[in-house]
Amino acid sequence: MLNDDILQIICAELEYGLNSYLTNLSNDELGCRKALLSLGLTCRSFLNPALDVLWKNMRSVEPLLLVLPETTVVDGKKILLTPIAPSSWDRLGFYTSRVREFSDSDALNAHESVYTFLGQRQPLFPNLKTLRLLPEMCNSTAFLFFLSSTLQEAYLPRHTLGFAAMAGLRQIHDLGPSLSLLVSRSPGIKSLEFHGHTYSGLSHSLHSLHELERLSVTGVASPFLERNFVKVIASSPRLTHLSLSIPASNLLDYDNIEQGFPSLREVWVQGMTADLHSFVTCLPRKLHHLTIVWEKGDDQELPLEEIAAVTRTLVKFSSLKQLDIQRIISSLRHDFDNPLLWTVFKPLLELKELKLLSYDGALSLSDQRTAMIACAWPCIRDLSLGAFIWDGDVPSVQSLAYFAQHCPNLEYLTYPVRLDVSGVTAIPPTLTRHPLRQFTCSVDAAEVRNPPLVALALHQIFPILTYVTGSEDRWDEVRTVLNSFHFLRVQDRQFQEEGM
């Protein structure tokens, strides 16, 4: 007899091939399933591990019909016309008890009679962990037999329409009753995600999920984020990851929740400036990851001081490790002078623990400000300053040496530099093997006039750098020269080692 752990490892390898199909939609699914089936039929020792993998993920109830003798074919479609016998339920349970994830890819893949008869036993999948359903399934009686006390992750249907398009529809799916039913049958859910549609009684449903760790509420129209919504999720004791889009004209109540979100560590939030300021202010100081997506109003440009008020609020997150600020450039006018633009960005320099920063706001830089940036974040590994309005000087290539000196962990850098490489030979070489592996020049239409000299400048500052890119098409020539430098360095090291 083989050890059970070894059997699990063997089946897991075949499961990896099956999961690759589900992810990449390759043509290997049939081969993986045949291999697992053959493995299960080899001997009893392999039967259960192989069946566990075969039935772990389901995307339709149709495979269940293949094990039921009550299944009838009408007009080429499998249906159920008679009740399921007790012996057939036992046979069905032998397989459905192995299902851990159900992702409905087509709510119309079975006749309505199938759901009627299968729904006589609830839950149909007693050990289900993850559930993804289409809107039609959520609003049908079939929804009940998916709900199990073992359910930990639920992804309710995504609506691809925007707020304006949804408002123009006469009938929109209200999945509020379905969500309430889900919460009552599966109170131990740890991860919940929904996008779009309407959800009546949303706050009341969320209030009952005491085990919730991850929540994503995006694209939900304003009337269905009740005034007490933030207070409800702020009281969730285990919530660690939150994604939230705040619709305009939504009057959420942020009062007296300073001690809320006791476990929150990662936040993705999208909204207009006033909403972002109110929401970020109430977040806990021990936040680790924060993504802010700015939404611009249709009426007028916002005063820069209001935008700066949001970034000044970020200073309180002294433990922040990752910060991603998106679409802020669309909220800034193009005629601000440099000092005012710098007031939006400058507060971020106080976040000394940052390892990742991505900022697409309008900004004008110089060699001096580059030095300030490099000195501000000694732990930084990934820095991207990529969308700018140039009213002043663009930093020189030589200014990148500040990152080599003060950012010993930097691996990915997107930064604007001037590709005028006069005096490049005077750049002092960096003597340590700085880990930077990718550099992107974020100046639009920055012409690479002399690729060898650009490559030499970058090589002097970052000795092991090989991948560089930008908006112009001559960066491939720069990469070629850098690769030759790297080859010569390796050859020289080997020669020295052989000489010793």
Side-chain angles (χ1 to χ4, degrees), residues 7 24 39 47 54 56 73 96 118 130 145 157 206 230 233 245 286 290 312 318 328 350 387 426 433 437 463 485:
L7 297 179
N24 303 317
L39 185 63
L47 180 59
L54 277 170
K56 181 179 179 181
V73 179
T96 58
L118 291 178
T130 303
F145 64 66
L206 295 178
V230 175
I233 60 175
S245 63
K286 293 184 178 181
L290 176 61
R312 284 197 299 268
S318 58
I328 188 174
E350 301 297 322
R433 289 177 59 84
R437 63 179 64 182
F485 287 154

Side-chain angles (χ1 to χ4, degrees), residues 270-375:
Q270 176 180 357
M272 298 180 64
T273 301
D275 296 314
L276 291 176
H277 183 266
S278 299
F279 183 76
V280 170
T281 301
C282 75
L283 293 177
R285 293 180 177 273
K286 293 184 178 181
L287 207 63
H288 289 169
H289 299 173
L290 176 61
T291 298
I292 300 178
V293 183
W294 243 273
E295 286 294 328
K296 180 183 176 183
D298 296 330
D299 49 357
Q300 60 182 0
E301 300 285 351
L302 285 172
L304 187 60
E305 291 76 9
E306 293 187 21
I307 299 174
V310 179
T311 56
R312 284 197 299 268
T313 304
L314 303 182
V315 174
K316 73 173 186 176
F317 304 120
S318 58
S319 301
L320 200 64
K321 301 294 189 296
Q322 296 187 17
L323 176 60
D324 186 0
I325 297 182
Q326 303 175 13
R327 301 184 189 173
I328 188 174
I329 192 171
S330 65
S331 299
L332 298 176
R333 293 175 56 187
H334 289 197
D335 58 353
F336 287 124
D337 59 11
N338 299 344
L340 289 178
L341 288 175
W342 184 249
T343 62
V344 177
F345 181 80
K346 188 177 180 180
L348 308 184
L349 301 179
E350 301 297 322
L351 303 174
K352 301 300 182 182
E353 300 297 319
L354 279 182
K355 294 183 178 180
L356 181 150
L357 172 63
S358 178
Y359 180 88
D360 75 348
L363 188 62
S364 181
L365 296 174
S366 62
D367 286 14
Q368 182 180 6
R369 286 179 175 174
T370 300
M372 295 174 59
I373 290 171
C375 293

Side-chain angles (χ1 to χ4, degrees), residues 1-2 4 7 43-49:
M1 289 272 300
L2 292 174
D4 288 342
L7 297 179
C43 65
R44 291 183 179 272
S45 298
F46 279 107
L47 180 59
N48 282 320

Side-chain angles (χ1 to χ4, degrees), residues 471-485:
S471 59
E472 289 297 301
D473 57 1
R474 298 192 68 186
W475 284 98
D476 56 341
E477 300 178 43
V478 179
R479 289 192 293 271
T480 299
V481 178
L482 281 174
N483 284 325
S484 67
F485 287 154

Side-chain angles (χ1 to χ4, degrees), residues 49-75:
L51 288 177
D52 286 343
V53 174
L54 277 170
W55 288 88
K56 181 179 179 181
N57 301 294
M58 288 189 65
R59 291 174 292 162
S60 167
V61 298
E62 191 171 359
L64 301 179
L65 303 179
L66 300 177
V67 301
L68 292 176
E70 290 82 1
T71 300
T72 303
V73 179
V74 176
D75 295 331

Side-chain angles (χ1 to χ4, degrees), residues 106-143:
D106 185 0
L108 303 177
N109 57 9
H111 190 270
E112 185 177 351
S113 63
V114 171
Y115 299 110
T116 300
F117 287 111
L118 291 178
Q120 295 173 1
R121 174 167 296 188
Q122 300 174 12
L124 183 62
F125 306 104
N127 298 310
L128 193 66
K129 301 293 184 184
T130 303
L131 178 63
R132 294 179 175 87
L133 292 179
L134 296 177
E136 294 82 359
M137 191 70 78
C138 288
N139 276 336
S140 72
T141 56
F143 185 61

